[in-house]
Amino acid sequence: MNEYRISFDKNDGPMTALANALKKRIEARWDTAVSFGTPADLTLSYTEGHRFGEICAAESGFLLKGTEAPDLWNMAGVLLRSIPTGGPFKPAPRCGIYKTEKELCGMYFATHFHNFYHSAPLPVIFDYIEDLAFWGLEALAVWFDMHHYTGTDDPEAITMASRLKAILGHAKSLGLKRMMTTLANEGFSTTPEAIKATNAVQNGYYLKPDGFYHTEICPHSEGGMEQILKNRSDMLDLFEDVQPDFFTIWPYDQGGCTCEKCSPWGSNGFLKTAKAEAELIKKRLPNTKIILSTWYFGEFYRGTAEWDGFYDALYRGELDFADMIMADFPAVYPKYPLTHHTPKPLVSFNEFSMYGASPWGGYGANPMPAHIAEQWHDAGQQLSGGMPYSEGIFEDLNKAITLRLFRMGQDPYETVKEYLRYECFLREEDLDKGVDLIKAMETGLCRDAFAFQTAEKEVILWDRSKAEEAEKLALELNESLSAEQRENIKWKQIVLRTEIDAELVRNENRITEKALDLFDTVDRLYHTGNSKTAPIRPFCRKQIPVLEAKVANPKWKPNPTFWWEQ
């Protein structure tokens, strides 16, 4: 067994966490025993400067430098991914300076409806955060969704808060920044009827705002703003030990109010509410940066009135409480921020979890390098980074692609090769075949999932042409891996997706017994066994009766067209 020694400042918590994470991964993968001390094969060190890392050749190995802990994690990831599969542990990274291109390299973990982040054991989540830190993650966001609870003293609210604080606490221990999101006018399930927000086709709205839970609060109602601020103050009390670095204030999905005094929400009621909340947050957390979201502007209200009013307020200095502006939209980046000067850093909210397929992650991995590359081509130059939306580990490759774009503008397909080599153990000679596999999977991603829309248990792929080819490539590559490597979740979810799609195509879209076996495996893999939500849980054996009962309800109306297909 080879030996490898790492030197670092043991009084520095994040640096110690990085050294331990390196030891764990090196010893698990290579025939190498890692110890700490000098003389060292690898030295970790901070350096002065702004947002860069550096890899230097040293007398007996390498010196990794970073201006902050996330930069060191980023450099360590570059080092780990420089080693070909199958060989000894001999890092061969490109020495030099790695300057981070974007201001925010974040990720949002949606913790709801018993998805992966809600239900997986915390040690699994902690390991996964470390994996992402090696790809360049520097900030992690969560949301305490009030509508589920009667108040902050609700036992279920306390349980969720404890989980979210544990997740953010681990992120902090690695040296990552912590982010929290909120809806401007969100309310608890006990919101009094007299102050509830309106959700109707009126006052310029041609669609009801999406994702509305009827617990939201109208800031123009008598006592409404006071209740909004009380809710936020109570929530800050619950999370008083977190001290987030960023706080994102959200307009829609859920949220909003269509009453006459609030409309159009994005440039009227939302701005009034966001300003009051931001002042409260800044008073309690003076070092926290405020990100103001524009999600779904113009989706429900006719024309560009929301965008026009929002940008007019921005230019007049009325939004100086915000440090960054967030803009994004499912499938296509909104045109307005790209054609109008934004006088504050503009960040994205990449949606690569729900796009094109439901249940989200219900089929295994959903790689989409071409889609991400297209969005980056449209908006990347104007962005200062972002905070992509994540429902689980099934879009792990999409996260790696996006983080490498944020960090250094790396070509998505170069990241695909790095990912397949490092995370999936593919050999150098198999990487081109692996890229072909990922391309074929993306071709067949979008689908209509009628299995929970009608009594017909069908999933119809929009493009069936590559499904069996993808399965063939995956199974051929699978043969080159050891039994242990095949069970690695990041590879296994790729194989599962190809097997499910090919089985659907071979059986005229029907969910067969073999497909149910595969869906059962996905359900176990993603810890979604407690979910009763159709877009979360795969079409496994335990979920099918739930869906059949839903469809049998005479009051339930099928809606086969989803927002991401409109």
Side-chain angles (χ1 to χ4, degrees), residues 472-520:
K472 180 175 181 292
L473 289 168
L475 294 179
E476 287 175 357
L477 291 168
N478 210 39
E479 289 300 313
S480 70
L481 304 179
S482 68
E484 183 179 4
Q485 290 167 344
R486 291 175 191 171
E487 291 302 309
N488 162 34
I489 186 173
K490 298 186 180 184
W491 172 250
K492 190 177 183 69
Q493 64 183 357
I494 290 175
V495 177
L496 280 167
R497 162 69 192 288
T498 67
E499 291 180 310
I500 287 170
D501 286 3
E503 181 67 9
L504 291 169
V505 167
R506 282 191 291 265
N507 292 277
E508 298 302 317
N509 314 313
R510 303 288 291 180
I511 297 178
T512 63
E513 285 298 312
K514 180 179 178 182
L516 287 172
D517 289 340
L518 296 168
F519 284 130
D520 284 349

Side-chain angles (χ1 to χ4, degrees), residues 504-544:
L504 291 169
V505 167
R506 282 191 291 265
N507 292 277
E508 298 302 317
N509 314 313
R510 303 288 291 180
I511 297 178
T512 63
E513 285 298 312
K514 180 179 178 182
L516 287 172
D517 289 340
L518 296 168
F519 284 130
D520 284 349
T521 301
V522 173
D523 190 42
R524 291 193 298 271
L525 206 63
Y526 294 157
H527 303 275
T528 49
N530 291 323
S531 181
K532 298 293 188 292
T533 305
I536 297 291
R537 195 170 189 187
F539 297 132
C540 56
R541 284 186 171 83
K542 290 184 178 179
Q543 181 71 344
I544 292 294

Side-chain angles (χ1 to χ4, degrees), residues 184-483:
N185 66 326
E186 67 181 320
F188 292 103
S189 62
T190 49
T191 300
E193 287 293 329
I195 64 172
K196 283 186 178 180
T198 306
N199 184 46
V201 177
Q202 61 182 15
N203 300 317
Y205 281 85
Y206 70 97
L207 288 173
K208 292 182 180 181
D210 197 15
F212 202 83
Y213 284 96
H214 301 281
T215 61
E216 295 83 356
I217 300 168
C218 174
H220 286 99
S221 64
E222 185 176 352
M225 183 64 80
E226 290 79 3
Q227 187 63 52
I228 289 170
L229 295 179
K230 181 182 184 304
N231 288 349
R232 184 59 52 215
S233 183
D234 289 347
M235 174 260 171
L236 291 172
D237 288 343
L238 186 60
F239 287 86
E240 64 179 347
D241 50 339
V242 170
Q243 302 289 307
D245 300 280
F246 296 90
F247 219 110
T248 306
I249 303 177
W250 216 257
Y252 292 117
D253 190 22
Q254 64 251 38
C257 182
T258 64
C259 79
E260 184 178 2
K261 291 182 179 180
C262 284
S263 298
W265 176 252
S267 56
N268 185 5
F270 171 59
L271 298 188
K272 173 183 178 179
T273 310
K275 185 176 188 295
E277 276 199 282
E279 289 174 351
L280 171 64
I281 293 165
K282 284 283 192 178
K283 185 176 180 180
R284 298 275 298 265
L285 304 164
N287 296 320
T288 297
K289 292 184 177 181
I290 301 294
I291 302 175
L292 201 56
S293 173
T294 61
W295 182 255
Y296 270 170
F297 274 19
E299 174 68 358
F300 315 112
Y301 194 90
R302 292 194 184 279
T304 61
E306 286 186 294
W307 285 112
D308 292 337
F310 182 90
Y311 267 73
D312 285 347
L314 193 59
Y315 295 148
R316 290 193 301 266
E318 295 172 10
L319 307 184
D320 282 351
F321 61 86
D323 298 280
M324 295 179 174
I325 304 300
M326 177 177 286
D328 218 315
F329 191 78
V332 179
Y333 196 85
K335 293 181 180 179
Y336 200 99
L338 301 181
T339 56
H340 294 74
H341 170 63
T342 306
K344 292 180 181 290
L346 184 66
V347 295
S348 69
F349 186 66
N350 316 50
E351 202 301 282
F352 47 53
S353 279
M354 298 181 285
Y355 175 76
S358 184
W360 311 321
Y363 310 89
N366 72 336
M368 53 183 81
H371 177 69
I372 294 170
E374 182 181 2
Q375 287 190 307
W376 191 257
H377 176 268
D378 292 343
Q381 291 299 312
Q382 290 176 245
L383 291 175
S384 296
M387 181 189 82
Y389 177 96
S390 174
E391 279 281 349
I393 197 172
F394 61 92
E395 9 81 329
D396 187 54
L397 176 52
N398 300 332
K399 294 190 189 78
I401 291 169
T402 305
L403 288 170
R404 297 323 291 159
L405 283 168
F406 287 165
R407 280 288 182 177
M408 54 188 295
Q410 181 166 298
D411 178 84
Y413 290 102
E414 285 302 310
T415 303
V416 169
K417 287 185 176 182
E418 282 190 18
Y419 183 91
L420 293 173
R421 179 197 301 119
Y422 175 67
E423 301 286 8
C424 301
F425 303 94
L426 293 195
R427 300 170 303 192
E428 294 300 309
E429 60 267 29
D430 289 330
L431 293 181
D432 288 337
K433 183 185 285 189
V435 171
D436 290 340
L437 163 62
I438 298 302
K439 289 180 178 179
M441 291 176 70
E442 183 168 11
T443 297
L445 172 62
C446 294
R447 60 199 63 204
D448 289 318
F450 291 106
F452 70 89
Q453 290 293 323
T454 70
E456 299 297 320
K457 299 183 183 67
E458 291 186 343
V459 178
I460 302 175
L461 274 62
W462 290 10
D463 188 333
R464 303 154 49 99
S465 64
K466 300 287 187 180
E468 290 180 283
E469 176 188 335
E471 181 190 43
K472 180 175 181 292
L473 289 168
L475 294 179
E476 287 175 357
L477 291 168
N478 210 39
E479 289 300 313
S480 70
L481 304 179
S482 68

